[in-house]
Amino acid sequence: MSDAKEHIDKLMQELRRGTTTIGVLSQLWEPQYGYSLVSKLADNDIHVEAGTLYPLLRRLEKQGLLESKWDTNETRPRKYYLLSETGKEVYDLLCVEWKSIVTSLDRLIDPKGGESNGND
Amino acid sequence: MEMIERYIYAVTQKLPQSQRADIAKELRSLIQDMLDERVVDREANDQDVEEVLLDLGSPKQLAQRYRGVNKYLIGPEFYDSYISLLKIVSLSIVVAMGVIFAIQFIFDPTGFFDYLGGFIASLVTVIPQGFAWVTVGFICIEYFGGVKAEDIKLGKEWRPSEIPPIPETKRQIKRSEPIVSIIFYVIVIMMFLFSNRFFGIFVFEVDQDGRFSTVVPFLNEATFSNYLPFIILVLGLSIFKEALKLISGKWTFNLVLYSTFINAITFVVVSIMIMSQSFWNPDFMFDLVQAGVITEDNEAYGTISKIWDTATLVILATFIIGLIWDSVNGFIKVRKQ
């Protein structure tokens, strides 16, 4: 049993790698700083650790999908991230791709359209 | 709160220079946010800080996430040192070849263009070799001395209190020290590779062919080529040691351990070499007389002969003191806190 759990952990980690990116991009039409994004995603049941999210934000910024700006007016300086023009375009295309993956996988997992998945 | 700075230092130190300041600032603000959320209204204590840092993951792991996946021969952690070492090595090769060129020219001014050709040709062949050796050395450091895969495995236990303190200035190694040493060693290697005749007594006198001078070599010309690989091994190890100092940037226990180990090998190889009869020029005194520096009935003959005979022991003693001092000095620096 623990063997299966180990596999699941590993597979979920791979699966999350891509979906987290989509989740992050979806929330950045408005500027957000890293930690506010962690809570916002958590509210929607997407649990990302700060130690994963911060490097991810930086990577997306380096790729040009995000723009960033330091806000030093508040008591604590914070780095805000926002979708760039490219980022917006990429996000829209990514959503289309995602939906098509979901549709295809639904069909594969559940070929008879919800009658039975044969795993019970 | 000091622990936060240690944590941030431990993370950013493993990242490229250009990103350090910004990531440090962002992490500092993140950790404060996480602390605020944890303690709500009361003051945060060390326990809170520890728990927040544990949530963030070990510094190595976090740094690894910032760097991305490990797909390179020489990673960003060592890239800066790699580039500066390449510069140092090529600079010293050019200087060494220039010195050799100058010496040749002084010996025989008529051969200027031959030597110039030789100078350029050797630059073309030797610099790529220097690059290759530096690269191979760094690949080894990357794979054997760098971040070990187990250390950054998920879930490996770590304690924030184990993060080393930011090194004091006394433990830091000035970049100039290893750089100067590396340049020196490269020049010596080049001179050995080129000819053993650079190590001897230069006699400046115009001989019958119009050549300017002769050299009375210290080393045995007949057996020199047998010793050459060992000489290069020793000097190469010394360069490796200096490179480690340059990369580490501070005195650590491991660094002292490695350099002591290298010193021990150096000492053994050098002692075996210089204690053996065939290493030194057996006709040194005779050659000196031939070159007209001294005459056999001269008073100086006795003195030089005596110096020559005891030279091996003197060199060996100096060598031991130098190597031991190198290690002891390292230990002292490590203990300074």
Side-chain angles (χ1 to χ4, degrees), chain B residues 27-320:
Chain B
L27 280 179
R28 205 168 288 130
S29 137
L30 166 68
I31 292 169
Q32 292 299 342
D33 279 338
M34 289 172 85
L35 274 175
D36 283 356
E37 195 192 60
R38 176 171 294 266
V39 301
V40 194
D41 282 332
R42 64 187 170 84
E43 275 292 295
N45 57 30
D46 284 353
Q47 176 80 28
D48 298 317
V49 173
E50 257 191 50
E51 277 163 23
V52 163
L53 295 183
L54 279 168
D55 272 355
L56 264 182
S58 78
K60 277 183 180 172
Q61 197 182 322
L62 189 56
Q64 175 82 343
R65 284 187 182 146
Y66 270 113
R67 282 200 305 266
V69 200
N70 228 342
K71 261 188 199 161
Y72 36 64
L73 279 180
I74 295 158
E77 199 176 337
F78 296 118
Y79 185 76
D80 289 341
S81 315
Y82 172 64
I83 293 298
S84 51
L85 204 63
L86 276 188
K87 284 184 194 153
I88 295 164
V89 167
S90 25
L91 178 76
S92 28
I93 289 174
V94 173
V95 171
M97 300 311 288
V99 169
I100 290 168
F101 172 63
I103 293 176
Q104 284 174 323
F105 177 67
I106 293 167
F107 271 48
D108 179 16
T110 54
F112 179 79
F113 287 103
D114 285 346
Y115 299 141
L116 186 64
F119 172 63
I120 293 166
S122 28
L123 281 188
V124 173
T125 53
V126 175
I127 287 184
Q129 281 196 37
F131 270 54
W133 284 112
V134 171
T135 309
V136 169
F138 268 88
I139 293 171
C140 294
I141 293 173
E142 178 70 51
Y143 279 87
F144 302 115
V147 182
K148 291 183 193 77
E150 307 149 31
D151 289 351
I152 47 173
K153 243 187 209 158
L154 284 166
K156 199 200 173 216
E157 281 208 28
W158 67 284
R159 263 190 296 278
S161 52
E162 280 170 4
I163 304 169
I166 300 167
E168 307 247 333
T169 38
K170 276 177 190 165
R171 291 179 66 186
Q172 287 171 356
I173 299 174
K174 272 196 228 106
R175 283 173 66 84
S176 54
E177 286 170 21
I179 289 176
V180 169
S181 308
I182 290 170
I183 294 176
F184 172 75
Y185 288 131
V186 171
I187 292 174
V188 176
I189 286 191
M190 300 305 299
M191 294 182 93
F192 268 117
L193 274 179
F194 197 79
S195 162
N196 66 327
R197 297 184 65 86
F198 289 127
F199 300 91
I201 293 177
F202 286 53
V203 183
F204 291 94
E205 206 176 31
V206 182
D207 63 10
Q208 61 267 40
D209 301 331
R211 302 227 166 153
F212 196 47
S213 43
T214 50
V215 176
V216 179
F218 291 135
L219 307 180
N220 187 345
E221 305 204 81
T223 59
F224 177 68
S225 56
N226 300 337
Y227 288 108
L228 190 59
F230 297 102
I231 294 173
I232 291 173
L233 172 78
V234 164
L235 290 165
L237 279 175
S238 306
I239 292 179
F240 188 69
K241 187 178 79 182
E242 297 301 326
L244 288 179
K245 286 186 195 169
L246 189 66
I247 295 164
S248 167
K250 60 177 189 288
W251 284 104
T252 64
F253 185 69
N254 276 346
L255 179 64
V256 176
L257 215 62
Y258 287 135
S259 56
T260 306
F261 182 63
I262 290 174
N263 285 348
I265 298 176
T266 307
F267 174 69
V268 171
V269 175
V270 170
S271 335
I272 293 173
M273 226 160 36
I274 70 175
M275 296 292 269
S276 63
Q277 290 298 315
S278 58
F279 183 67
W280 302 103
N281 181 0
D283 305 322
F284 181 74
M285 292 310 292
F286 177 73
D287 287 348
L288 269 187
V289 175
Q290 284 287 302
V293 180
I294 45 168
T295 50
E296 275 193 57
D297 48 4
N298 198 323
E299 208 178 290
Y301 185 91
T303 320
I304 295 177
S305 176
K306 226 175 257 168
I307 294 175
W308 176 245
D309 289 339
T310 52
T312 309
L313 286 177
V314 174
I315 292 173
L316 208 57
T318 323
F319 218 75
I320 296 177

Side-chain angles (χ1 to χ4, degrees), chain A residues 13 33-35 39 49-52 54-55 57-59 62 70 72 76-79 81, chain B residues 19 22-23 25-30 32-34 36-37 55-56 61-62 65-66 68 154:
Chain A
Q13 206 185 329
Y33 64 93
Y35 202 55
S39 354
E49 286 167 22
T52 309
Y54 275 64
L57 285 171
R58 204 160 264 277
R59 207 167 314 133
K62 204 174 161 199
W70 276 97
T72 45
R76 185 167 298 152
R78 281 179 177 136
K79 196 174 184 182
Y81 293 89
Chain B
Q19 302 172 17
D22 200 62
I23 290 180
K25 204 168 150 195
E26 201 178 9
L27 280 179
R28 205 168 288 130
S29 137
L30 166 68
Q32 292 299 342
D33 279 338
M34 289 172 85
D36 283 356
E37 195 192 60
D55 272 355
L56 264 182
Q61 197 182 322
L62 189 56
R65 284 187 182 146
Y66 270 113
L154 284 166

Side-chain angles (χ1 to χ4, degrees), chain A residues 30-112:
Chain A
E30 299 291 323
Q32 299 265 359
Y33 64 93
Y35 202 55
S36 69
L37 199 54
V38 172
S39 354
K40 204 160 181 190
L41 289 172
D43 291 345
N44 290 288
D45 285 325
I46 303 282
H47 296 280
V48 194
E49 286 167 22
T52 309
L53 184 71
Y54 275 64
L56 174 65
L57 285 171
R58 204 160 264 277
R59 207 167 314 133
L60 292 173
E61 186 195 1
K62 204 174 161 199
Q63 289 167 358
L65 302 186
L66 299 181
E67 285 163 359
S68 75
K69 212 179 124 200
W70 276 97
D71 181 357
T72 45
N73 294 330
E74 290 175 60
T75 45
R76 185 167 298 152
R78 281 179 177 136
K79 196 174 184 182
Y80 280 83
Y81 293 89
L82 178 71
L83 280 179
S84 67
E85 286 310 311
T86 327
K88 288 176 185 166
E89 206 177 316
V90 168
Y91 173 69
D92 285 339
L93 291 170
L94 202 56
C95 285
V96 175
E97 295 290 340
W98 170 253
K99 279 173 187 150
S100 101
I101 290 176
V102 171
T103 318
S104 318
L105 277 176
D106 274 350
R107 209 161 43 225
L108 288 174
I109 294 172
D110 199 2
K112 289 163 213 156

